[in-house]
Amino acid sequence: MHQNEDVRFTSSSIKLPQFSPLTLHHPTLNPFFTNLHLILQNFPKFQHPFHQNGGSSQTLSKFTHPFHQKFNPQNAILQFLSKPRNINPFSWSLSNTPLLCCASIALTQSNLDGTPSLGPKTGSGNEERVLISEVLVRNKDGEELERKDLESEALNALKACRPNSALTVREVQEDVHRIVASGYFCSCMPVAVDTRDGIRLVFQVEPNQEFHGLVCEGANVLPARFIEDSFRDGYGKIVNIKRLDEIISSINGWYMERGLFGAVSGIEMLSGGMIRLEVSEAEVNNITIRFLDRTGEPTVGKTRPETILRQLTTKKGQVYSMLQGKRDVDTVLAMGIMEDVSIIPQPAGETGKVDLVMNVVERKSGGGISAGGGISSGITSGPLAGLIGSCAIYHKNLFGRNQKLNLSLERGQIDSIFRINYTDPWIEGDDKRTSRSMMIQNSRTPGSLVHNHPGGSLTIGRVTAGIEYSRPFRPKWNGTAGIIFQRAGARDDKGNPIIRDYYSSPLTASGNTHDDMLLAKLETVNTGSGDPGSSVFVFNMDQGLPVWSEWLVFNRVNARARKGLVLGPMRLLLSFSGGHVVGNFPPHEAFVLGGTNSVRGYEEGTVGSGRSYAVGCGEISFPLMGPLEGAVFADYGTDLGSGPSVPGDPAGARLKPGSGYGCGVGIRVDSPLGPLRLEYAFNDQRTGRFHFGVGLRN
């Protein structure tokens, strides 16, 4: 093909007829929505501009064509496309097309007196058979075909019509159908010639034109290269109807694979070997939100329609995609304020477009009170070790804008956290889906992870306030930036402020009863797909800003990565984490090694407390019974020799080794909170320990 110099693409609008409204429900798609032929079956079809006149030939009255017309395959294509199929609506087959309804013949035999009479009967029933001495293929003028390959195609298509065979009308008619069904001919006329040696049966055929160019209209989203590649092999060759069938199926399949409302609606042959291909695509005209109650009756919604509409990726003017519609349904449900969501497409009058109606059922209440409990990994002793109770007052749809307000209190044996959090998942007027979160928190957590001692316990109190902004910047990637102020200090078991621990190591970096710091936070997260073989990556950095001379200045970086590999029925999970701190930082902010989410087989924080750290883990899980999974794992962690560089060297005073490894076995059970993990591990000190955790390792 000469650089497609005879191939051109144009675009024009197409009028879609009315069709029955179909519903896309969550979580499964309505199968009727894929039956695009229900929409396209009434599209106007293009008629062939030429009338194909039959050629003259000398025929005997032995064989006559009762209809006196020739079959036009282009019109047959169009007639076929106008009929709905019982198979895949985006594909069509020659076995179901009027292509085979092309011609019929009658066999008679004349007596010497000119009166017709029946020939000799052979076979069963009243079917008459006529002995044929020769079978030929000629053009419509009765002359030999210029292209012998086409003559071979026609002869190869014959099944019953052979020299020296007795044929019935039905058998000749079926072979006429087979010649046309080969796809290379637009007409076929059986003609009988009485010769000295007997009756000669001549199939007068008219080949299709050679393909020399393409005009494609209405394909706005279908890539021009896809169409061009589909027709490239046929350039300069006789048009084959069967090949066109395959091309149309591939074009319709392209739309179907992407869930798009589009299909080939017309095809015709123009003069000069040009093919005109008409594609129809249903564009979105308008999108409206309709609030329903639980009985399906219309009601007044509390959520602002624009809050829902901006969640949708489907926009006006786009070709409607079922897959994109399903993603929009999932996105609206993920807001957490809807109980049910569905999309109903319907015709937009006579515009040839579709209107989308999104039906939403809101949850009964956007707010409420909740209570629960949990386990803290920082408590390792006592009758109620690690148990935490919590309660919260929340509102999930503040001002009808999907904004969240949460007041929560968590209380444990030592832990306590009071938090006020306000989140706007999408700032109004922002086109980058930027979210904003403001937080005030007063917490008390155990200091035993770094400063444990036999003489009693101490806690770290923190007052924190900050604001963060987050937005997606690439698929599966999200970024966060914020400013956080924190005041932190240590207290003994009686609640009195202290500045040194049991080993006289400092508990603050400033030497005062508390440290003040203003931190600039940056974080990047790759969430992966959630599949067993997906990857997760998290990188965050905190930078202390020297706004006041007494405020701490330090830089802390931390990274975590996890990669899953599927090995038949088993899964291999590899994870790594590491970090480093530069500058003057509080010793209780040192990186802690050992425990359920670090090096299993050790108690929490007993491997090391360092300015730097690295932890690696390998784990193989395999199915057991039902939801149960087994696991074999090994962990290793080290402070990279940075323990003495922490102010006061709390790890050295407590004789922490600074590095260690553990290995063991465990079981997993899926839950709404994530995998529940029960594990038993031995460390390199030959001591064992049970661990319980929720979710995947950090």
Side-chain angles (χ1 to χ4, degrees):
M1 186 170 182
H2 304 293
Q3 298 298 320
N4 304 307
E5 51 195 17
D6 291 322
V7 179
R8 59 191 178 93
F9 298 87
T10 63
S11 177
S12 65
S13 60
I14 295 300
K15 180 183 295 184
L16 284 134
Q18 292 189 359
F19 59 97
S20 302
L22 304 168
T23 305
L24 173 64
H25 288 288
H26 177 81
T28 58
L29 296 177
N30 191 321
F32 290 100
F33 215 23
T34 62
N35 294 341
L36 189 58
H37 65 271
L38 295 176
I39 304 173
L40 301 178
Q41 61 182 348
N42 295 321
F43 279 9
K45 302 300 187 294
F46 300 97
Q47 300 300 323
H48 197 287
F50 327 114
H51 174 69
Q52 301 195 27
N53 299 317
S56 60
S57 62
Q58 296 180 353
T59 64
L60 298 180
S61 60
K62 305 282 185 178
F63 291 88
T64 60
H65 192 295
F67 301 119
H68 304 291
Q69 62 181 7
K70 295 186 178 181
F71 173 70
N72 188 324
Q74 288 79 21
N75 289 336
I77 295 175
L78 303 180
Q79 293 171 13
F80 180 86
L81 288 174
S82 68
K83 296 184 178 182
R85 296 282 158 255
N86 295 325
I87 56 174
N88 187 326
F90 289 101
S91 64
W92 51 285
S93 170
L94 286 171
S95 61
N96 295 325
T97 172
L99 232 160
L100 300 183
C101 304
C102 53
S104 63
I105 60 175
L107 299 180
T108 62
Q109 187 173 12
S110 301
N111 293 328
L112 294 176
D113 57 4
T115 60
S117 65
L118 295 177
K121 293 184 179 181
T122 60
S124 60
N126 296 324
E127 290 184 291
E128 298 181 5
R129 291 187 177 274
V130 177
L131 183 62
I132 303 298
S133 63
E134 190 177 7
V135 178
L136 299 176
V137 175
R138 295 292 185 262
N139 63 19
K140 63 181 181 179
D141 297 324
E143 300 173 354
E144 291 189 8
L145 295 178
E146 294 182 1
R147 298 185 54 164
K148 295 301 180 182
D149 57 333
L150 292 178
E151 180 179 342
S152 299
E153 291 287 347
L155 290 174
N156 291 335
L158 299 178
K159 183 177 181 181
C161 298
R162 302 293 181 186
N164 301 317
S165 59
L167 304 176
T168 65
V169 173
R170 179 182 298 274
E171 289 172 337
V172 176
Q173 181 176 351
E174 289 176 351
D175 272 353
V176 169
H177 294 173
R178 293 187 183 99
I179 290 176
V180 177
S182 67
Y184 291 99
F185 308 97
C186 60
S187 68
C188 178
M189 171 77 75
V191 176
V193 180
D194 199 359
T195 68
R196 181 177 55 185
D197 298 326
I199 296 177
R200 175 188 300 157
L201 181 59
V202 180
F203 291 97
Q204 294 185 353
V205 298
E206 182 178 357
N208 294 327
Q209 300 182 49
E210 289 187 357
F211 172 58
H212 290 294
L214 175 70
V215 178
C216 182
E217 299 181 351
N220 298 316
V221 298
L222 183 67
R225 177 56 63 91
F226 181 86
I227 306 175
E228 191 176 336
D229 291 344
S230 299
F231 283 89
R232 177 176 284 112
D233 292 342
Y235 187 82
K237 300 178 182 178
I238 294 294
V239 173
N240 186 284
I241 304 300
K242 295 172 67 174
R243 175 56 182 159
L244 288 181
D245 173 55
E246 297 174 357
I247 292 175
I248 292 174
S249 296
S250 67
I251 293 175
N252 293 341
W254 186 92
Y255 283 102
M256 189 176 183
E257 289 174 2
R258 290 154 181 80
L260 295 171
F261 255 32
V264 176
S265 58
I267 183 171
E268 66 173 324
M269 181 71 72
L270 304 177
S271 61
M274 299 290 293
I275 291 179
R276 181 181 184 184
L277 190 70
E278 182 70 24
V279 178
S280 297
E281 300 172 345
E283 294 182 357
V284 176
N285 178 64
N286 195 22
I287 307 174
T288 57
I289 304 297
R290 182 167 59 187
F291 293 92
L292 304 177
D293 58 22
R294 291 191 172 185
T295 65
E297 296 297 325
T299 186
V300 178
K302 299 177 181 178
T303 307
R304 297 191 178 191
E306 58 268 23
T307 300
I308 302 175
L309 288 173
R310 68 177 181 173
Q311 301 287 335
L312 309 183
T313 57
T314 301
K315 304 298 181 183
K316 295 181 182 180
Q318 293 180 348
V319 176
Y320 181 60
S321 166
M322 296 178 293
L323 300 180
Q324 193 173 3
K326 183 182 183 301
R327 289 194 296 267
D328 288 339
V329 168
D330 293 338
T331 300
V332 175
L333 285 171
M335 295 169 65
I337 58 177
M338 300 300 170
E339 190 172 293
D340 188 33
V341 180
S342 63
I343 292 180
I344 299 179
Q346 51 191 0
E350 298 296 329
T351 62
K353 300 181 180 181
V354 294
D355 287 334
L356 301 181
V357 178
M358 174 170 279
N359 291 331
V360 296
V361 179
E362 293 181 304
R363 297 188 182 276
K364 280 187 174 181
S365 175
I369 300 176
S370 65
I375 298 177
S376 171
S377 62
I379 305 295
T380 59
S381 62
L384 300 176
L387 292 180
I388 297 176
S390 65
C391 65
I393 301 174
Y394 63 90
H395 199 294
K396 294 184 177 180
N397 194 14
L398 206 61
F399 311 120
R401 298 178 180 273
N402 193 33
Q403 298 172 1
K404 322 291 184 184
L405 179 63
N406 188 73
L407 286 75
S408 63
L409 174 64
E410 298 178 4
R411 190 73 171 90
Q413 185 180 7
I414 296 178
D415 303 63
S416 67
I417 301 176
F418 175 73
R419 180 188 296 113
I420 301 175
N421 186 274
Y422 165 79
T423 301
D424 185 353
W426 191 342
I427 300 175
E428 186 174 0
D430 179 80
D431 60 349
K432 302 295 185 181
R433 301 184 71 94
T434 303
S435 65
R436 175 177 55 212
S437 179
M438 293 182 286
M439 173 267 297
I440 300 175
Q441 176 178 294
N442 188 350
S443 65
R444 186 180 65 173
T445 57
S448 57
L449 297 180
V450 177
H451 298 280
N452 64 306
H453 62 89
S457 62
L458 59 87
T459 58
I460 306 298
R462 296 179 178 86
V463 177
T464 307
I467 182 171
E468 294 181 355
Y469 292 87
S470 180
R471 69 165 53 166
F473 58 90
R474 289 187 62 186
K476 301 178 183 179
W477 285 88
N478 192 76
T480 300
I483 293 290
I484 299 174
F485 173 81
Q486 178 176 293
R487 168 171 286 191
R491 295 180 179 270
D492 60 18
D493 51 2
K494 297 181 180 180
N496 299 318
I498 54 177
I499 60 174
R500 293 190 177 273
D501 66 5
Y502 179 82
Y503 296 98
S504 297
S505 298
L507 293 171
T508 60
S510 62
N512 302 322
T513 56
H514 59 268
D515 290 321
D516 292 331
M517 61 197 83
L518 183 65
L519 303 177
K521 175 183 178 179
L522 292 174
E523 183 177 70
T524 300
V525 179
N526 184 325
T527 57
S529 62
D531 297 330
S534 64
S535 303
V536 175
F537 176 77
V538 179
F539 174 84
N540 54 61
M541 180 180 68
D542 297 327
Q543 175 63 55
L545 303 178
V547 178
W548 298 103
S549 59
E550 295 183 355
W551 289 9
L552 302 186
V553 179
F554 63 91
N555 178 273
R556 176 173 52 204
V557 295
N558 192 21
R560 305 194 311 271
R562 185 172 66 239
K563 174 63 178 178
L565 299 172
V566 178
L567 305 174
M570 300 185 297
R571 290 181 295 176
L572 173 63
L573 185 66
L574 302 175
S575 62
F576 171 82
S577 59
H580 181 65
V581 181
V582 177
N584 189 22
F585 73 105
H588 56 77
E589 296 284 355
F591 295 112
V592 177
L593 299 175
T596 303
N597 289 314
S598 180
V599 181
R600 285 164 286 190
Y602 282 92
E603 293 185 11
E604 303 294 330
T606 56
V607 173
S609 305
R611 184 182 287 266
S612 305
Y613 86 104
V615 173
C617 168
E619 179 176 297
I620 297 178
S621 60
F622 46 87
L624 293 177
M625 295 183 300
L628 289 179
E629 284 189 345
V632 179
F633 58 84
D635 305 330
Y636 176 78
T638 174
D639 64 5
L640 302 174
S642 63
S645 64
V646 176
D649 188 14
R654 290 157 180 80
L655 302 179
K656 296 183 180 181
S659 65
Y661 64 85
C663 57
V665 297
I667 59 174
R668 308 280 187 269
V669 181
D670 285 334
S671 75
L673 300 177
L676 302 179
R677 301 185 284 127
L678 178 61
E679 301 157 338
Y680 187 80
F682 285 95
N683 60 31
D684 53 347
Q685 305 297 323
R686 299 183 179 179
T687 59
R689 181 175 178 81
F690 279 102
H691 296 273
F692 176 76
V694 179
L696 297 174
R697 281 171 50 91
N698 292 332

